[in-house]
Amino acid sequence: MTESLFFVFAAMAIVSALMVILNRNPIYSAVSLVITLFSLAGIFLLLEAYFLAVVQIIIYAGAIMVLFLFVIMLLNPGKEAKFLSPTNPRILIITLLSIAFIGMIFTLVSGTANYIGEAASSTGDLGTTRNIGLTLFTKYLLPFEIASLLLLVSLVGAVLMTKRNLR
Amino acid sequence: MTPPLEYYLWFAALLFVIGVAGVLLRRNVIIVFMSIELMLNAVNVTFIAFSRQMNNIDGQIFVFFVMTLAAAEVAVGLAIIVAMFRNKESINIEDMNLLKW
Amino acid sequence: MVNSTLILVWLIPLFPLIGFLLNGIFGKRLGDKAVGIIGSGAMLFSFVVSGYLLLNYLALNQVGAEFHSTLFSWISVADLQLSVSFQVDSLSLMMAVMVTGVAFLIHVYSIGYMHGDGGFARFFSYMNLFSFMMLVLVLSDNYILMFLGWEGVGLCSYLLIGFWYEDDKNASAGNKAFIVNRIGDFGFLLGALLLFVTFGSFQYSEIFSQLDRFSVGDGTITAITLLLFVGAMGKSAQLPLYVWLPDAMAGPTPVSALIHAATMVTAGVYMVARSSFLYVLAPTSMTVIAVVGVATALFAALIALTQNDIKKVLAYSTISQLGYMFLALGVGAFSAGMFHLLTHAFFKGLMFLAAGSVMHALANEQDMRFMGGLRKKIPKTFITFLIGALAISGIPGLSGFFSKDELLWQAYSSPAGGFWFWLVGAVTAGLTAFYIFRLIFLTFYGEARWKPETHAHESPNKMTLPLIILAFLSVVGGYIGVPALLGGDNRIHYYLEANLAKLPVDAAAHQSHSLEFILMGISVLIAIAAIYLAYVFYVKRRELPELAAAKFKRAYNLSFNKFYVDELYDYLFVKRLITISKWLWNKFDVRVLDGMANGAGKLITVTGWYVRTVQSGLVSGYALSLFIGSLLMIGYYFFR
């Protein structure tokens, strides 16, 4: 049951990710990305990361993608004027490099379980909000606070950069 | 029947390479940005997969921070794109070539 | 001495250092009054502390005791263990008290003398830095720390000689002093390094404790002592490296008094005395020192006879007196040399300050031909100057008499001494009395030859008070060393000798008291005769000097032109050096060095021109190289 669900989500994610990079229209790309993110949320659920799955949908698929769509519509760039022609040597080079990357990673990753042991038995409450919250506010309190500072800085930065007249 | 760890890692690698290809092939800066998001998410999958494998929550906390970072990055990045567009009337990445001799 | 008292020794150089920092950094903002107070106050505190330590030391009543205080470990490399540490014994305490005391008086004097000068704060900060370095020099317990002070005082001397650097002449006088001193310092450094190679240490006590394994006349020790003496020759202005000292008079007069009469130039004497344990093992070096010393004494005195610049006369007099001290060291009478160093610091410092007071009165006139008749105008200066002159001439009852007489007696009677040393010394004493009274008579007697519009006036109290104190010291300073012959107990020798080496005494050569008495009488008679001669020449029959100069024209010209030594050095060294330097500049520097530098630059430019094309500015290009880089990293794990 879990395995078949994994394959469904994974296939959805891969296909929509390919749509993201192959679509000419940025709006379609953005919508495809939303689908990818939803599928990933599903995979998170399979991995008992309940809290993160929800956060994935709210923050990524919600907030961040809305920001993307907003900018796309604001700038209205239209379709990309000129896509790389399929005969362009760059495409060939990148494809070859990608295949090499995939091949090496697949080989290296196979048998990882042999090194780190079999999957630990599930307790069923690994990624619950309660557990995440407890860890975040005890062990990771300082990084958590610093992360809030990072967000504040980026907020200020974004406002500053989009201002029309800087003085 | 849970899928073994390798499946997740293979899947993450595929997703990552798709992101890389997007960054390298596309010239629309917004699409490039989306591809970067894909790469970040691929890494998130490996984190969570290992977290489950070892029954250790630290990996999930990392994912949480990655998401924070992604949000910050998108906010700043998109602001840069908007500022860029205002100056150059273009979001073609090949027009952003000021960083050279 | 208990540690709590001993630790105070660090305060002695600390006060001048604080004064230097305060005056150097905040001097402009503090105002002249505060700068003067800080500068002289620092020296006063130092003087009080060193005096307190001296009293403590004397109260211990342990003759020859020496104490060490370590502040921190300075250099620790392999076999070399060097720490910043001080040695407290009679020698270093005497020097410390003398330096701080004289320096304090001269600082007070400078407040008046430098009044209104634009570089007032700069002057006081340099003076304080000098005092700090001088104290490090005398208190150090190893040769390297001493060398630090040695170089430090050299630097301050350079800075202060060229204090009025707007005038090119003063700046080049500073350069000359610095460069000539370098020659000597090089000798000192070589000597110190040879010491380390031989003994494995720089510390005095560690070196001296190993001397048992060397016999008298040992080659290494002779080499070391000669090299150290080269250093002393430079710093203490002995033949042939004396040429910088007369030119050093370009600095302000308090500088001449403090650095070029009382303290720094005696560093060489102190250093040789400090190394006395080495020198007694090297009779050759001792002879060299004695000969150089006595030759310098005579030579400089001959030059001083004809100089017209009041400060030049005193400068040559200083060189001559330093020669005396080296004569004493050379014949093995180390404590006599140190005693003369002490009294000389009083009366020569006094005479320089008094000369400064004269110049102050006459709007900075230095030429004695334009002085005269000042006796009534500036009575305090006159009286104090006269006391100094009587002291240096060796008139009985004043400090110079005791030290000079002790010195001449030792030159005659010491196993390393001899009749000829005594004779030249006595003749020089006569010359000294003559030229110093020539100075007195030309300056204070006769008719006024200065410009009528000059308003000659006595200096302020700030300047005359140090004069009076120094004059008092010039009178009584000798009573710490009254020889047994005159019913004294010679306290200073009693203490100093315990910390210095002694020549093996030859019992048979013991000289009689009557002979000592006769020699003493002769030297006093010579001095009085010389003074009378000067009186005849420069007061009674004013035409005589010119007649004598005309009659002995050749000798007069030799002396007046300082034996043409400067011209000789100029021809022998300076001109040659310039020729070689020009060649090096035109050939070696322009072609080889510049070629290398320019070639390196060109190589970088050309390489950069090709490499910069990599920076296309295209983001995807950078991303691609990033990706290839990560592929390479994964590839490493893959193919490993």
Side-chain angles (χ1 to χ4, degrees), chain C residues 436-468:
Chain C
I436 213 75
F437 273 88
R438 170 177 175 264
L439 188 156
I440 292 271
F441 292 137
L442 280 179
T443 309
F444 294 102
Y445 285 80
E447 77 288 348
R449 295 183 297 276
W450 68 82
K451 291 189 205 88
E453 66 267 25
T454 314
H455 170 65
H457 56 285
E458 182 62 283
S459 307
N461 282 340
K462 272 185 222 108
M463 287 165 70
T464 50
L465 205 63
L467 287 181
I468 292 166

mmCIF file of all heavy atoms in Angstrom, chain C residues 436-468:
data_model
loop_
_atom_site.group_PDB
_atom_site.id
_atom_site.type_symbol
_atom_site.label_atom_id
_atom_site.label_comp_id
_atom_site.label_asym_id
_atom_site.label_seq_id
_atom_site.Cartn_x
_atom_site.Cartn_y
_atom_site.Cartn_z
ATOM 1 N N ILE C 436 89.082 75.396 28.963
ATOM 2 C CA ILE C 436 87.812 75.682 29.636
ATOM 3 C C ILE C 436 87.847 77.094 30.214
ATOM 4 O O ILE C 436 86.845 77.799 30.221
ATOM 5 C CB ILE C 436 87.505 74.613 30.700
ATOM 6 C CG1 ILE C 436 85.993 74.393 30.804
ATOM 7 C CG2 ILE C 436 87.993 74.982 32.079
ATOM 8 C CD1 ILE C 436 85.402 73.620 29.696
ATOM 9 N N PHE C 437 89.038 77.533 30.646
ATOM 10 C CA PHE C 437 89.107 78.911 31.136
ATOM 11 C C PHE C 437 89.199 79.907 29.995
ATOM 12 O O PHE C 437 88.769 81.051 30.133
ATOM 13 C CB PHE C 437 90.233 79.071 32.165
ATOM 14 C CG PHE C 437 89.745 78.726 33.533
ATOM 15 C CD1 PHE C 437 89.791 77.425 34.002
ATOM 16 C CD2 PHE C 437 89.149 79.701 34.314
ATOM 17 C CE1 PHE C 437 89.272 77.097 35.222
ATOM 18 C CE2 PHE C 437 88.638 79.367 35.549
ATOM 19 C CZ PHE C 437 88.688 78.075 36.006
ATOM 20 N N ARG C 438 89.723 79.482 28.865
ATOM 21 C CA ARG C 438 89.621 80.312 27.663
ATOM 22 C C ARG C 438 88.154 80.617 27.390
ATOM 23 O O ARG C 438 87.760 81.758 27.124
ATOM 24 C CB ARG C 438 90.244 79.564 26.487
ATOM 25 C CG ARG C 438 89.992 80.198 25.142
ATOM 26 C CD ARG C 438 90.715 79.421 24.040
ATOM 27 N NE ARG C 438 90.398 79.947 22.731
ATOM 28 C CZ ARG C 438 89.460 79.451 21.957
ATOM 29 N NH1 ARG C 438 88.737 78.428 22.357
ATOM 30 N NH2 ARG C 438 89.241 79.979 20.769
ATOM 31 N N LEU C 439 87.337 79.560 27.510
ATOM 32 C CA LEU C 439 85.898 79.716 27.309
ATOM 33 C C LEU C 439 85.330 80.702 28.319
ATOM 34 O O LEU C 439 84.588 81.619 27.966
ATOM 35 C CB LEU C 439 85.243 78.339 27.436
ATOM 36 C CG LEU C 439 83.778 78.157 27.091
ATOM 37 C CD1 LEU C 439 83.533 76.717 26.738
ATOM 38 C CD2 LEU C 439 82.861 78.543 28.229
ATOM 39 N N ILE C 440 85.697 80.495 29.596
ATOM 40 C CA ILE C 440 85.163 81.365 30.655
ATOM 41 C C ILE C 440 85.557 82.816 30.387
ATOM 42 O O ILE C 440 84.727 83.727 30.416
ATOM 43 C CB ILE C 440 85.736 80.928 32.030
ATOM 44 C CG1 ILE C 440 85.195 79.573 32.417
ATOM 45 C CG2 ILE C 440 85.461 81.986 33.090
ATOM 46 C CD1 ILE C 440 83.920 79.606 33.181
ATOM 47 N N PHE C 441 86.851 83.051 30.094
ATOM 48 C CA PHE C 441 87.323 84.424 29.946
ATOM 49 C C PHE C 441 86.716 85.067 28.712
ATOM 50 O O PHE C 441 86.335 86.236 28.732
ATOM 51 C CB PHE C 441 88.856 84.449 29.873
ATOM 52 C CG PHE C 441 89.487 84.053 31.179
ATOM 53 C CD1 PHE C 441 90.576 83.198 31.222
ATOM 54 C CD2 PHE C 441 88.985 84.543 32.377
ATOM 55 C CE1 PHE C 441 91.147 82.830 32.423
ATOM 56 C CE2 PHE C 441 89.557 84.181 33.583
ATOM 57 C CZ PHE C 441 90.628 83.313 33.607
ATOM 58 N N LEU C 442 86.636 84.293 27.619
ATOM 59 C CA LEU C 442 86.062 84.872 26.397
ATOM 60 C C LEU C 442 84.597 85.217 26.596
ATOM 61 O O LEU C 442 84.081 86.179 26.042
ATOM 62 C CB LEU C 442 86.201 83.889 25.223
ATOM 63 C CG LEU C 442 87.559 83.842 24.544
ATOM 64 C CD1 LEU C 442 87.555 82.813 23.441
ATOM 65 C CD2 LEU C 442 87.918 85.208 23.973
ATOM 66 N N THR C 443 83.899 84.377 27.374
ATOM 67 C CA THR C 443 82.457 84.569 27.500
ATOM 68 C C THR C 443 82.115 85.632 28.531
ATOM 69 O O THR C 443 81.266 86.484 28.284
ATOM 70 C CB THR C 443 81.799 83.237 27.914
ATOM 71 O OG1 THR C 443 82.242 82.219 27.038
ATOM 72 C CG2 THR C 443 80.297 83.342 27.843
ATOM 73 N N PHE C 444 82.774 85.576 29.668
ATOM 74 C CA PHE C 444 82.293 86.385 30.790
ATOM 75 C C PHE C 444 83.149 87.615 31.065
ATOM 76 O O PHE C 444 82.722 88.521 31.745
ATOM 77 C CB PHE C 444 82.214 85.524 32.047
ATOM 78 C CG PHE C 444 81.199 84.449 31.960
ATOM 79 C CD1 PHE C 444 81.549 83.130 31.714
ATOM 80 C CD2 PHE C 444 79.844 84.743 32.092
ATOM 81 C CE1 PHE C 444 80.602 82.143 31.620
ATOM 82 C CE2 PHE C 444 78.898 83.757 32.004
ATOM 83 C CZ PHE C 444 79.274 82.459 31.769
ATOM 84 N N TYR C 445 84.405 87.618 30.574
ATOM 85 C CA TYR C 445 85.298 88.743 30.867
ATOM 86 C C TYR C 445 85.457 89.612 29.628
ATOM 87 O O TYR C 445 84.874 89.340 28.585
ATOM 88 C CB TYR C 445 86.653 88.226 31.349
ATOM 89 C CG TYR C 445 86.608 87.713 32.758
ATOM 90 C CD1 TYR C 445 86.117 86.443 33.031
ATOM 91 C CD2 TYR C 445 87.037 88.485 33.831
ATOM 92 C CE1 TYR C 445 86.037 85.956 34.301
ATOM 93 C CE2 TYR C 445 86.971 88.012 35.121
ATOM 94 C CZ TYR C 445 86.486 86.750 35.359
ATOM 95 O OH TYR C 445 86.424 86.282 36.634
ATOM 96 N N GLY C 446 86.274 90.630 29.775
ATOM 97 C CA GLY C 446 86.563 91.494 28.644
ATOM 98 C C GLY C 446 85.384 92.375 28.307
ATOM 99 O O GLY C 446 84.424 92.501 29.077
ATOM 100 N N GLU C 447 85.474 92.982 27.107
ATOM 101 C CA GLU C 447 84.403 93.909 26.729
ATOM 102 C C GLU C 447 83.284 93.138 26.048
ATOM 103 O O GLU C 447 83.491 92.058 25.521
ATOM 104 C CB GLU C 447 84.956 95.011 25.804
ATOM 105 C CG GLU C 447 85.199 94.594 24.363
ATOM 106 C CD GLU C 447 86.395 93.664 24.206
ATOM 107 O OE1 GLU C 447 87.175 93.515 25.167
ATOM 108 O OE2 GLU C 447 86.546 93.076 23.113
ATOM 109 N N ALA C 448 82.083 93.727 26.083
ATOM 110 C CA ALA C 448 80.932 93.081 25.453
ATOM 111 C C ALA C 448 81.068 93.182 23.947
ATOM 112 O O ALA C 448 81.235 94.268 23.404
ATOM 113 C CB ALA C 448 79.640 93.745 25.917
ATOM 114 N N ARG C 449 81.031 92.039 23.277
ATOM 115 C CA ARG C 449 81.186 92.047 21.830
ATOM 116 C C ARG C 449 79.893 91.641 21.128
ATOM 117 O O ARG C 449 79.871 91.386 19.947
ATOM 118 C CB ARG C 449 82.305 91.075 21.421
ATOM 119 C CG ARG C 449 83.674 91.476 21.928
ATOM 120 C CD ARG C 449 84.746 90.540 21.440
ATOM 121 N NE ARG C 449 84.552 89.181 21.950
ATOM 122 C CZ ARG C 449 84.976 88.764 23.141
ATOM 123 N NH1 ARG C 449 85.595 89.592 23.946
ATOM 124 N NH2 ARG C 449 84.759 87.525 23.537
ATOM 125 N N TRP C 450 78.811 91.488 21.895
ATOM 126 C CA TRP C 450 77.558 91.091 21.243
ATOM 127 C C TRP C 450 76.892 92.319 20.652
ATOM 128 O O TRP C 450 77.273 93.465 20.924
ATOM 129 C CB TRP C 450 76.652 90.363 22.220
ATOM 130 C CG TRP C 450 76.097 91.217 23.333
ATOM 131 C CD1 TRP C 450 75.019 92.042 23.266
ATOM 132 C CD2 TRP C 450 76.583 91.315 24.664
ATOM 133 N NE1 TRP C 450 74.793 92.640 24.447
ATOM 134 C CE2 TRP C 450 75.740 92.216 25.345
ATOM 135 C CE3 TRP C 450 77.636 90.724 25.354
ATOM 136 C CZ2 TRP C 450 75.935 92.537 26.678
ATOM 137 C CZ3 TRP C 450 77.800 91.060 26.677
ATOM 138 C CH2 TRP C 450 76.981 91.949 27.331
ATOM 139 N N LYS C 451 75.898 92.092 19.837
ATOM 140 C CA LYS C 451 75.221 93.199 19.158
ATOM 141 C C LYS C 451 74.560 94.078 20.209
ATOM 142 O O LYS C 451 73.918 93.570 21.126
ATOM 143 C CB LYS C 451 74.161 92.649 18.191
ATOM 144 C CG LYS C 451 74.744 91.927 17.000
ATOM 145 C CD LYS C 451 73.648 91.612 15.993
ATOM 146 C CE LYS C 451 73.993 90.417 15.123
ATOM 147 N NZ LYS C 451 73.581 89.139 15.708
ATOM 148 N N PRO C 452 74.718 95.374 20.077
ATOM 149 C CA PRO C 452 74.208 96.270 21.115
ATOM 150 C C PRO C 452 72.702 96.139 21.331
ATOM 151 O O PRO C 452 72.225 96.352 22.453
ATOM 152 C CB PRO C 452 74.557 97.666 20.590
ATOM 153 C CG PRO C 452 75.268 97.484 19.311
ATOM 154 C CD PRO C 452 75.375 96.053 18.975
ATOM 155 N N GLU C 453 71.964 95.769 20.265
ATOM 156 C CA GLU C 453 70.515 95.706 20.432
ATOM 157 C C GLU C 453 70.084 94.467 21.227
ATOM 158 O O GLU C 453 68.941 94.366 21.646
ATOM 159 C CB GLU C 453 69.793 95.769 19.081
ATOM 160 C CG GLU C 453 70.022 94.576 18.174
ATOM 161 C CD GLU C 453 71.187 94.801 17.222
ATOM 162 O OE1 GLU C 453 72.084 95.622 17.560
ATOM 163 O OE2 GLU C 453 71.214 94.163 16.150
ATOM 164 N N THR C 454 71.021 93.517 21.402
ATOM 165 C CA THR C 454 70.662 92.334 22.183
ATOM 166 C C THR C 454 70.519 92.721 23.650
ATOM 167 O O THR C 454 71.385 93.386 24.202
ATOM 168 C CB THR C 454 71.746 91.265 22.059
ATOM 169 O OG1 THR C 454 72.104 91.143 20.689
ATOM 170 C CG2 THR C 454 71.258 89.941 22.586
ATOM 171 N N HIS C 455 69.431 92.300 24.221
ATOM 172 C CA HIS C 455 69.209 92.604 25.630
ATOM 173 C C HIS C 455 69.615 91.385 26.445
ATOM 174 O O HIS C 455 68.867 90.432 26.591
ATOM 175 C CB HIS C 455 67.732 92.949 25.855
ATOM 176 C CG HIS C 455 67.373 93.038 27.300
ATOM 177 N ND1 HIS C 455 67.899 93.989 28.130
ATOM 178 C CD2 HIS C 455 66.541 92.285 28.057
ATOM 179 C CE1 HIS C 455 67.404 93.823 29.341
ATOM 180 N NE2 HIS C 455 66.582 92.784 29.314
ATOM 181 N N ALA C 456 70.867 91.423 26.963
ATOM 182 C CA ALA C 456 71.356 90.277 27.734
ATOM 183 C C ALA C 456 70.644 90.239 29.080
ATOM 184 O O ALA C 456 70.611 91.232 29.798
ATOM 185 C CB ALA C 456 72.861 90.399 27.943
ATOM 186 N N HIS C 457 70.069 89.074 29.409
ATOM 187 C CA HIS C 457 69.285 88.977 30.632
ATOM 188 C C HIS C 457 69.508 87.621 31.278
ATOM 189 O O HIS C 457 69.804 86.633 30.603
ATOM 190 C CB HIS C 457 67.808 89.151 30.322
ATOM 191 C CG HIS C 457 67.320 88.169 29.302
ATOM 192 N ND1 HIS C 457 67.617 88.298 27.960
ATOM 193 C CD2 HIS C 457 66.579 87.052 29.415
ATOM 194 C CE1 HIS C 457 67.079 87.294 27.305
ATOM 195 N NE2 HIS C 457 66.453 86.509 28.146
ATOM 196 N N GLU C 458 69.356 87.592 32.598
ATOM 197 C CA GLU C 458 69.498 86.329 33.316
ATOM 198 C C GLU C 458 68.301 85.425 32.996
ATOM 199 O O GLU C 458 67.192 85.913 32.735
ATOM 200 C CB GLU C 458 69.579 86.611 34.825
ATOM 201 C CG GLU C 458 69.769 85.377 35.695
ATOM 202 C CD GLU C 458 71.082 84.653 35.387
ATOM 203 O OE1 GLU C 458 71.147 83.963 34.382
ATOM 204 O OE2 GLU C 458 72.037 84.793 36.184
ATOM 205 N N SER C 459 68.544 84.119 32.991
ATOM 206 C CA SER C 459 67.475 83.171 32.670
ATOM 207 C C SER C 459 66.502 83.050 33.833
ATOM 208 O O SER C 459 66.829 83.402 34.957
ATOM 209 C CB SER C 459 68.089 81.808 32.383
ATOM 210 O OG SER C 459 69.083 81.927 31.407
ATOM 211 N N PRO C 460 65.288 82.545 33.555
ATOM 212 C CA PRO C 460 64.309 82.389 34.634
ATOM 213 C C PRO C 460 64.755 81.353 35.670
ATOM 214 O O PRO C 460 65.679 80.582 35.426
ATOM 215 C CB PRO C 460 63.045 81.928 33.909
ATOM 216 C CG PRO C 460 63.537 81.364 32.628
ATOM 217 C CD PRO C 460 64.743 82.156 32.258
ATOM 218 N N ASN C 461 64.056 81.349 36.800
ATOM 219 C CA ASN C 461 64.432 80.447 37.887
ATOM 220 C C ASN C 461 64.413 78.992 37.488
ATOM 221 O O ASN C 461 65.211 78.196 37.963
ATOM 222 C CB ASN C 461 63.483 80.640 39.069
ATOM 223 C CG ASN C 461 63.858 81.883 39.835
ATOM 224 O OD1 ASN C 461 64.983 82.343 39.716
ATOM 225 N ND2 ASN C 461 62.917 82.419 40.575
ATOM 226 N N LYS C 462 63.466 78.665 36.615
ATOM 227 C CA LYS C 462 63.366 77.268 36.165
ATOM 228 C C LYS C 462 64.685 76.808 35.608
ATOM 229 O O LYS C 462 65.030 75.635 35.656
ATOM 230 C CB LYS C 462 62.286 77.156 35.087
ATOM 231 C CG LYS C 462 60.903 76.922 35.631
ATOM 232 C CD LYS C 462 59.959 76.706 34.462
ATOM 233 C CE LYS C 462 58.661 77.417 34.633
ATOM 234 N NZ LYS C 462 58.404 78.565 33.833
ATOM 235 N N MET C 463 65.430 77.734 35.008
ATOM 236 C CA MET C 463 66.693 77.354 34.408
ATOM 237 C C MET C 463 67.855 77.505 35.374
ATOM 238 O O MET C 463 68.796 76.701 35.349
ATOM 239 C CB MET C 463 66.952 78.183 33.140
ATOM 240 C CG MET C 463 66.063 77.768 31.989
ATOM 241 S SD MET C 463 66.027 78.954 30.655
ATOM 242 C CE MET C 463 67.668 78.781 29.997
ATOM 243 N N THR C 464 67.818 78.519 36.223
ATOM 244 C CA THR C 464 68.969 78.718 37.105
ATOM 245 C C THR C 464 68.962 77.749 38.275
ATOM 246 O O THR C 464 70.018 77.369 38.769
ATOM 247 C CB THR C 464 69.010 80.158 37.635
ATOM 248 O OG1 THR C 464 67.726 80.472 38.154
ATOM 249 C CG2 THR C 464 69.363 81.120 36.529
ATOM 250 N N LEU C 465 67.794 77.341 38.715
ATOM 251 C CA LEU C 465 67.741 76.426 39.857
ATOM 252 C C LEU C 465 68.463 75.109 39.564
ATOM 253 O O LEU C 465 69.301 74.668 40.372
ATOM 254 C CB LEU C 465 66.288 76.191 40.271
ATOM 255 C CG LEU C 465 66.125 75.790 41.726
ATOM 256 C CD1 LEU C 465 66.600 76.914 42.634
ATOM 257 C CD2 LEU C 465 64.676 75.440 42.022
ATOM 258 N N PRO C 466 68.186 74.455 38.423
ATOM 259 C CA PRO C 466 68.973 73.252 38.113
ATOM 260 C C PRO C 466 70.461 73.544 38.052
ATOM 261 O O PRO C 466 71.274 72.711 38.479
ATOM 262 C CB PRO C 466 68.445 72.835 36.742
ATOM 263 C CG PRO C 466 67.086 73.398 36.673
ATOM 264 C CD PRO C 466 67.124 74.677 37.439
ATOM 265 N N LEU C 467 70.814 74.738 37.558
ATOM 266 C CA LEU C 467 72.236 75.089 37.507
ATOM 267 C C LEU C 467 72.827 75.082 38.907
ATOM 268 O O LEU C 467 73.912 74.536 39.138
ATOM 269 C CB LEU C 467 72.412 76.482 36.905
ATOM 270 C CG LEU C 467 72.190 76.635 35.402
ATOM 271 C CD1 LEU C 467 72.416 78.069 34.977
ATOM 272 C CD2 LEU C 467 73.110 75.710 34.646
ATOM 273 N N ILE C 468 72.079 75.696 39.827
ATOM 274 C CA ILE C 468 72.613 75.803 41.193
ATOM 275 C C ILE C 468 72.742 74.420 41.820
ATOM 276 O O ILE C 468 73.751 74.088 42.454
ATOM 277 C CB ILE C 468 71.703 76.723 42.028
ATOM 278 C CG1 ILE C 468 71.842 78.154 41.491
ATOM 279 C CG2 ILE C 468 72.070 76.672 43.493
ATOM 280 C CD1 ILE C 468 70.787 79.103 41.961
#
